[in-house]
């Protein structure tokens, strides 16, 4: 319905989210994915994107209630048309189906860039931006389509009650902003999905990852993007000593899979002699080992491998500290699952396409709030960890609902 300033829904905004994802960017993404309308609709595609984002902010609310909150500022804009009514669940579902997942995925890829500035506290180590890679699962609506696409944990009587989508993501440790992600089936391992989440890596980053994510192909893929690596290595991975270093770390070899023992011995002799290696077969890495005393009765041995070979650039103690910043990534994923969604939450979407759309909506909403928090922390010269994510979410919600006023 046309209003005084154009289509009524053109005036819908979301405060922090509108600032993070301006209309011009939404139009670019819609054009790139072929989702621009050929005719004027009551719910244009750019409004549907904002509606999907709002669903993440108000996860427990119905479709109609979320739409009412979105339109709350229209009275202040003198754009309210009394003939316009909030679309019902069927119309909103159809609008989501027309939009699909691709525009949300592309919006995330274009908008979710690193947010830490040079002065952001806790985001840097030796001039490198700390980022981490890990995965989690999300319960999705129990439909036949979702079960076929995403699968369940376990099988038979021990199968999970709900199908589970598998999310593998990269985030900035200092800001908790997720900057790379891929959505897949719970049947797909993290190492299988992870390569598609690494597009966000760039020069000047130090990527942290746990032992479950180590594989030779994934290590090589991450290096191709220009980031430095500091990954925990499991006991099953051979790390033959090349030479010890002054800070207690040592140089070792990582082997490509499938090499015969004579080939490995020949590569080790080459490395110990200081000669160049064939990078397709082996890579020289620096290894840092330390024990966490309170994990097990005898302590837990942590073995880290990094491509940063010079102890003068980054001593072993600082690498050990950096690895434990990986837990900031766990916190970022927990914020999405427990503070945006709420505990024991199940995504509302009934089809795989809309599940992916909903997940990228969650990631974008979390990113926008975290960007807002980082700017506030930088202005106050605080570490972003000092600010409450839940409080920031409540402020963001109030930006939407504070103006809500509807004619009787």
């Amino acid at each position: 319905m046309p209003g005084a300033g154009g289509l009524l829904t053109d005036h819908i905004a979301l405060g922090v989210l509108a600032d993070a994802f301006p209309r011009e960017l939404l139009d670019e993404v819609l054009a790139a994915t072929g989702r621009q309308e050929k005719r004027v609709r009551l719910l244009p595609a750019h409004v549907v994107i904002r509606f999907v984002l709002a669903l993440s902010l108000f996860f427990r609310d119905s479709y109609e209630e979320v739409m009412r909150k979105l339109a709350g500022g229209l009275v202040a804009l003198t754009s309210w048309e009394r003939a316009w009514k909030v679309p019902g669940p069927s119309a909103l579902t159809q609008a989501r189906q027309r939009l699909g997942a691709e525009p949300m995925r592309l919006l995330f890829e274009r908008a979710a860039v690193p947010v830490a500035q040079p002065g952001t506290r806790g985001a840097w180590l030796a001039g490198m931006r700390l980022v981490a890679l890990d995965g989690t699962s999300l319960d999705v609506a129990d439909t036949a389509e979702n079960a076929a696409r995403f699968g369940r944990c376990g099988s038979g009587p021990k199968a999970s009650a709900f199908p589970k989508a598998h999310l593998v993501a990269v985030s900035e440790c200092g800001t908790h902003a997720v900057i790379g992600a891929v959505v897949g089936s719970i049947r797909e391992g993290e190492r299988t999905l992870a390569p598609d989440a690494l597009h966000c890596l760039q020069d000047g980053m130090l990527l942290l990852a746990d032992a479950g994510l180590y594989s030779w192909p994934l290590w090589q893929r991450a290096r191709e993007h220009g980031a430095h690596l500091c990954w925990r290595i499991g006991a099953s991975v051979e790390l033959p000593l090349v030479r010890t270093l002054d800070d207690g770390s040592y140089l070792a070899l990582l082997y490509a899979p499938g090499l015969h023992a004579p080939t490995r011995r020949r590569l080790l002799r080459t490395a110990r002699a200081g000669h160049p290696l064939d990078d397709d077969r082996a890579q020289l890495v620096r290894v840092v080992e330390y024990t966490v005393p309170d994990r097990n009765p005898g302590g837990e041995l942590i073995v880290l491998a990094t491509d940063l070979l010079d102890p003068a650039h980054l001593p072993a103690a600082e690498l050990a500290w950096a690895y434990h910043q990986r837990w900031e990534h766990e916190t970022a994923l927990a914020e999405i699952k427990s503070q945006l969604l709420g505990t024991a939450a199940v995504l509302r979407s009934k089809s795989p396409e809309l599940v992916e759309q909903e997940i990228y909506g969650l990631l974008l909403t979390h990113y926008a709030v975290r960007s807002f928090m980082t700017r506030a922390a930088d202005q106050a010269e605080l570490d972003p960890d000092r600010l409450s994510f839940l409080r920031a979410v409540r402020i963001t919600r109030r930006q939407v609902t504070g103006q809500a006023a509807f004619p009787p």
Side-chain angles (χ1 to χ4, degrees):
M1 177 69 66
L7 194 69
L8 178 70
T9 46
D10 282 346
H11 296 291
I12 286 176
L14 275 166
V16 167
L17 302 187
D19 181 55
F21 315 119
R23 171 68 184 274
E24 294 78 12
L25 177 58
L26 304 191
D27 288 342
E28 288 175 14
V29 166
L30 291 169
T33 55
R35 296 301 199 278
Q36 283 182 317
E37 296 85 359
K38 296 180 175 60
R39 62 187 178 88
V40 175
R41 291 184 179 274
L42 179 65
L43 288 169
H46 72 89
V47 170
V48 182
I49 290 178
R50 299 211 185 280
F51 174 69
V52 173
L53 297 175
L55 290 176
S56 302
L57 269 184
F58 304 103
F59 183 74
R60 298 294 181 185
D61 291 346
S62 69
Y63 274 12
E64 292 158 291
E65 182 62 21
V66 172
M67 198 64 192
R68 286 191 184 96
K69 288 171 176 173
L70 273 180
L74 295 177
V75 173
L77 291 169
T78 66
S79 302
W80 180 260
E81 281 284 342
R82 290 181 179 274
W84 190 83
K85 295 181 180 179
V86 174
S90 177
L92 289 165
T93 298
Q94 291 173 21
R96 287 189 62 199
Q97 290 169 342
R98 287 195 302 272
L99 180 68
E102 191 178 358
M104 301 300 292
R105 187 184 307 115
L106 183 58
L107 178 60
F108 176 79
E109 290 178 4
R110 291 193 178 182
V113 297
V115 299
Q117 299 302 307
T120 301
R121 300 190 178 187
W124 306 88
L125 178 65
M128 294 177 291
R129 187 187 303 269
L130 291 175
V131 298
L133 171 70
D134 209 348
T136 190
S137 64
L138 294 163
D139 288 341
V140 303
D142 190 6
T143 66
E145 282 185 276
N146 284 348
R149 168 66 179 89
F150 298 111
R152 302 175 191 267
C153 285
S155 59
K158 294 185 178 179
S160 58
F162 293 94
K164 291 180 179 289
H166 203 170
L167 170 66
V168 177
V170 177
S171 73
E172 280 189 308
C173 296
T175 68
H176 297 189
V178 179
I179 57 174
V182 59
V183 179
S185 165
I186 198 64
R187 295 184 291 258
E188 298 174 279
E190 291 179 349
R191 283 181 286 184
T192 301
L193 293 171
D196 290 333
L198 300 181
H199 60 84
C200 61
L201 298 183
Q202 54 190 248
D203 291 345
M205 289 182 171
L206 176 58
L207 177 66
L208 314 170
D210 202 4
L213 280 158
Y214 172 75
S215 71
W216 173 267
L218 190 56
W219 175 280
Q220 296 296 87
R221 176 70 72 88
R223 290 185 66 231
E224 288 170 3
H225 286 279
H228 290 295
L229 312 180
C230 178
W231 288 13
R232 187 174 179 181
I233 303 295
S236 62
V237 179
E238 184 182 359
L239 288 168
L241 173 69
V242 174
R243 69 175 181 273
T244 58
L245 301 172
D246 292 341
D247 68 341
S249 60
Y250 61 91
L251 298 182
L253 286 189
L254 276 178
Y255 291 123
L259 297 181
H260 297 300
T263 302
R264 293 186 177 213
R265 289 194 293 268
R266 184 169 61 254
L267 289 167
L268 182 57
R269 289 195 298 270
T270 299
R272 286 174 173 170
H275 299 314
L277 290 165
D278 179 356
D279 283 346
D280 292 332
R281 292 188 165 195
Q283 185 185 346
L284 188 66
V285 296
R286 181 164 152 241
V287 179
V288 175
E289 295 185 358
Y290 62 97
T291 300
V292 179
D294 56 353
R295 292 279 181 86
N296 298 311
E300 181 181 10
L301 178 65
I302 307 292
V303 179
L304 305 178
T306 180
D307 62 334
L308 295 166
L309 305 183
D310 185 0
H313 178 217
L314 203 59
E318 293 189 25
L319 277 169
W321 173 87
Y323 174 71
H324 284 274
Q325 297 305 299
R326 187 185 63 82
W327 290 105
E328 301 291 351
H329 180 67
E330 304 282 347
T331 301
L333 297 179
E335 289 168 353
I336 294 171
K337 294 177 69 172
S338 65
Q339 297 184 30
L340 277 180
L341 292 177
T343 55
V346 179
L347 299 188
R348 69 178 89 206
S349 302
K350 302 296 192 293
S351 70
E353 180 81 4
L354 295 191
V355 165
E356 288 198 39
Q357 181 194 85
E358 189 174 0
I359 290 174
Y360 281 104
L362 281 165
L363 292 169
L364 286 160
T365 300
H366 178 269
Y367 174 86
V369 174
R370 271 291 165 187
S371 299
F372 162 65
M373 293 174 66
T374 301
R375 292 196 302 271
D378 287 348
Q379 289 173 9
E381 298 184 353
L382 293 173
D383 189 319
D385 287 346
R386 298 281 303 277
L387 305 184
S388 165
F389 177 76
L390 184 56
R391 185 176 181 185
V393 168
R394 288 170 177 163
I395 292 171
T396 305
R397 287 170 177 157
R398 285 200 297 271
Q399 281 194 314
V400 179
T401 60
Q403 302 181 61
F406 280 78

